[in-house]
Amino acid sequence: MAKGSLRIRTDMPNGSTINTQAPSIALPHCQPGEKGGKATVLHKEVGLVSGISLIIGTMIGSGIFISPKAVLLSTGAVGPCLCVWAACGVLATMGALCYAELGTMITKSGGEYSYLMEAFGPVAAYLYSWTTIIILKPSSFAIISLSFAEYASTPFYPGCTPPVVVTKCLAAACILMIVLVNCLSVKLASYVQNFFTAAKLLIIVVIVVAGIVLLAQGNTKNLSNSFEGASTSFGSIGLAFYNGLWAYDGWNQLNFITEELKNPYRNLPLAIIIGIPLVSACYVLVNIAYFTAMTTTELLQSPAVAVTFGDRVLYPLSWVVPLFVVFSTFGAANGSCFTAGRLTYVAGREGHMVKILSYISLKNYTPSPALIFNGMLTVLYIMPADINTLINYFSFAQWAFYGLTALSLIVMRFTRKELKRPVKCPLPIAGLVVIISCYLVLAPIIDKPELEYLYCTIFIISGLLFYFPFVHRKFSWTRRIMRPITMQLQLLMEVVPPEKSE
């Protein structure tokens, strides 16, 4: 065979994992030792600023522009609504402190997947990856993309709701564009994230300053007697937290890319300490601003809360709000795609997903198969998607895994004492996160049982039907099926298995 042509690669540095599935094809490339060459691994290209931008940019997405209605509807009054927003910020901060310890103790990408693997073994980690890769990450990406499409299309249909087909086609275009950007370059994806994070912080500042001006002018009527008519139902408070925490979701996203983070022992906890309190303050102030311009009834009737606020307060510059909300949701979708690809990549590397998902682009050093797979699932989810149903579905399963991850921190304090812990979270905080997570999982089910919760539970457990034959036993016939598929996909996408870099 001619030099430089394709050959079967049997001596890969990570051959033990590759050989369990299928032989891989080595595409011609520079070896790590060659001048100007790079190892085919994910490189550390995310600094502190990009890390903070990822946290803020993923947290501030569609939630603050959609969730205010849902939180207010569940709480029934302004006072408890603002309390829920503040409490969600405190809970997100406590959860992030747990993840700061876990992320600096186990410096692997994949977030909860890596921590559950270390604490509870492969079965728990597999069920997490199965649920998150197939359901949670794509549904989150879909929700944000649909929000982007709604805000982007609304100005073209004044006085009426944009057609569903237009919204979903625009959401699909958004998904494809973001996947393409993330496949092309890690740096390009980081630049996109930084730009849109700056844009969303700008519109947040505009809304907050406008609210302060209205307060100074005496528009405090909606904030007086703020606890009158509040709902105290056990389940309704849980649902209010669901929707509020949906807006805060993203506080754990930096843990998914630990292997690509420069100096993770310093930058991971520092990004968390800077990012999450900043977002919490923004959210509470934005909600106060909303109530200075709208009554509770008007806010609940508004099809787009932020746009209504802009029309009333910022006219004739009200068009600025929907434009920057579009920027905000696009940036959040980019962050969601970025981290989802890394989870899929790590699960594939550990043998919990098909191996092709752990391969890296030879030209761009990005996990392009994992990113493309996540994008394809997301496009499927936007077809029948209803945003509120997806939020409930997402939160129920996600908080079950958040609680289990906080529990893993407690468990490893006793079972893995030898691990270094540059950042140490107080155990009472971890215990409180576990207890609150149990409440958030059980309260809505007890108060108002829904079929979505049963479907989610069945889906999580159904992962075992795939785990034992395909992962635990590794039947030979599965490798025979996957071998030609893997080879063809490698040729098509020009991807190779990741090398071990010392």
Side-chain angles (χ1 to χ4, degrees):
M1 187 175 290
K3 183 179 179 180
S5 60
L6 300 180
R7 59 183 173 84
I8 299 298
R9 187 171 187 168
T10 58
D11 57 347
M12 290 300 297
N14 56 344
S16 59
T17 55
I18 296 302
N19 291 339
T20 59
Q21 292 289 334
S24 55
I25 296 177
L27 299 172
H29 66 288
C30 294
Q31 295 301 321
E34 295 181 19
K35 185 177 180 179
K38 286 185 177 181
T40 50
V41 295
L42 301 181
H43 297 281
K44 293 183 179 292
E45 297 182 348
V46 180
L48 177 61
V49 173
S50 294
I52 295 172
S53 294
L54 181 64
I55 291 176
I56 296 176
T58 310
M59 290 178 71
I60 303 178
S62 60
I64 189 59
F65 309 111
I66 293 177
S67 296
K69 288 196 296 183
V71 175
L72 179 61
L73 186 63
S74 298
T75 55
V78 173
C81 176
L82 295 176
C83 289
V84 167
W85 280 104
C88 287
V90 173
L91 180 57
T93 303
M94 291 193 300
L97 289 174
C98 297
Y99 277 62
E101 175 177 333
L102 290 166
T104 52
M105 179 174 65
I106 302 168
T107 55
K108 294 181 180 178
S109 293
E112 292 92 342
Y113 175 84
S114 299
Y115 314 142
L116 294 175
M117 176 76 82
E118 291 287 340
F120 302 118
V123 175
Y126 175 81
L127 290 179
Y128 170 78
S129 65
W130 160 256
T131 307
T132 306
I133 292 171
I134 304 300
I135 294 289
L136 301 185
K137 283 293 186 182
S139 68
S140 174
F141 194 1
I143 292 167
I144 301 169
S145 300
L146 286 167
S147 301
F148 162 84
E150 287 181 3
Y151 275 95
S153 57
T154 296
F156 298 97
Y157 296 90
C160 63
T161 304
V164 174
V165 65
V166 171
T167 301
K168 294 189 175 181
C169 286
L170 191 56
C174 168
I175 292 164
L176 295 176
M177 184 183 300
I178 288 172
V179 169
L180 177 62
V181 167
N182 280 268
C183 286
L184 288 176
S185 169
V186 173
K187 285 187 177 180
L188 178 59
S190 295
Y191 291 151
V192 169
Q193 193 66 34
N194 294 348
F195 172 80
F196 285 103
T197 297
K200 66 183 66 182
L201 284 177
L202 179 59
I203 193 59
I204 290 289
V205 169
V206 169
I207 293 174
V208 169
V209 170
I212 292 173
V213 171
L214 290 175
L215 283 175
Q217 293 174 347
N219 292 281
T220 59
K221 181 180 179 181
N222 298 328
L223 298 173
S224 59
N225 298 322
S226 57
F227 285 86
E228 186 176 342
S231 173
T232 57
S233 166
F234 183 76
S236 63
I237 297 298
L239 285 173
F241 270 93
Y242 263 12
N243 289 282
L245 288 167
W246 160 246
Y248 279 95
D249 196 69
W251 51 265
N252 63 327
Q253 295 301 290
L254 204 54
N255 292 71
F256 284 93
I257 62 163
T258 308
E259 293 174 24
E260 297 170 81
L261 188 64
K262 298 175 183 176
N263 193 5
Y265 298 112
R266 170 184 176 271
N267 290 339
L268 177 63
L270 194 57
I272 287 171
I273 291 169
I274 294 172
I276 296 174
L278 178 60
V279 173
S280 302
C282 287
Y283 279 3
V284 174
L285 292 174
V286 165
N287 276 277
I288 292 174
Y290 287 156
F291 288 119
T292 61
M294 288 176 276
T295 65
T296 55
T297 302
E298 289 170 339
L299 191 144
L300 291 173
Q301 291 176 346
S302 171
V305 178
V307 174
T308 302
F309 178 87
D311 289 340
R312 294 191 176 191
V313 178
L314 301 177
Y315 186 83
L317 297 177
S318 54
W319 57 269
V320 169
V321 175
L323 175 63
F324 277 85
V325 172
V326 168
F327 288 167
S328 177
T329 49
F330 188 89
N334 181 72
S336 178
C337 176
F338 191 93
T339 56
R342 273 58 185 179
L343 172 61
T344 308
Y345 160 80
V346 173
R349 188 177 64 186
E350 297 295 330
H352 286 176
M353 290 287 162
V354 292
K355 278 294 175 184
I356 188 66
L357 296 179
S358 70
Y359 287 11
I360 296 174
S361 169
L362 192 58
K363 295 180 179 179
N364 304 317
Y365 303 101
T366 59
S368 51
L371 292 164
I372 293 169
F373 177 74
N374 180 61
M376 291 169 61
L377 287 178
T378 305
V379 171
L380 292 177
Y381 272 95
I382 66 172
M383 294 178 183
D386 171 72
I387 288 181
N388 289 327
T389 302
L390 278 174
I391 288 175
N392 291 336
Y393 198 47
F394 171 82
S395 300
F396 164 74
Q398 189 65 79
W399 275 96
F401 287 117
Y402 284 160
L404 197 59
T405 304
L407 181 62
S408 74
L409 184 149
I410 299 172
V411 169
M412 284 191 284
R413 282 285 182 92
F414 301 97
T415 62
R416 302 297 302 276
K417 294 181 180 180
E418 75 282 3
L419 294 175
K420 294 181 180 179
R421 294 171 169 83
V423 177
K424 208 165 186 178
C425 174
L427 280 182
I429 290 180
L432 188 59
V433 172
V434 173
I435 293 171
I436 293 174
S437 298
C438 292
Y439 167 75
L440 291 172
V441 170
L442 296 176
I445 299 175
I446 295 171
D447 185 71
K448 187 179 179 183
E450 297 282 352
L451 284 177
E452 287 90 345
Y453 307 131
L454 177 62
Y455 294 153
C456 187
T457 304
I458 293 172
F459 182 85
I460 294 172
I461 297 173
S462 70
L464 297 174
L465 298 176
F466 293 89
Y467 176 79
F468 287 105
F470 300 117
V471 178
H472 182 67
R473 296 298 298 273
K474 297 178 182 176
F475 290 146
S476 59
W477 61 267
T478 61
R479 294 197 294 273
R480 288 197 299 270
I481 292 174
M482 286 305 301
R483 181 178 292 115
I485 297 174
T486 300
M487 293 172 65
Q488 293 301 319
L489 288 174
Q490 272 196 271
L491 288 168
L492 178 65
M493 294 187 285
E494 295 188 353
V495 292
V496 294
E499 296 176 359
K500 286 186 177 180
S501 58
E502 300 299 334

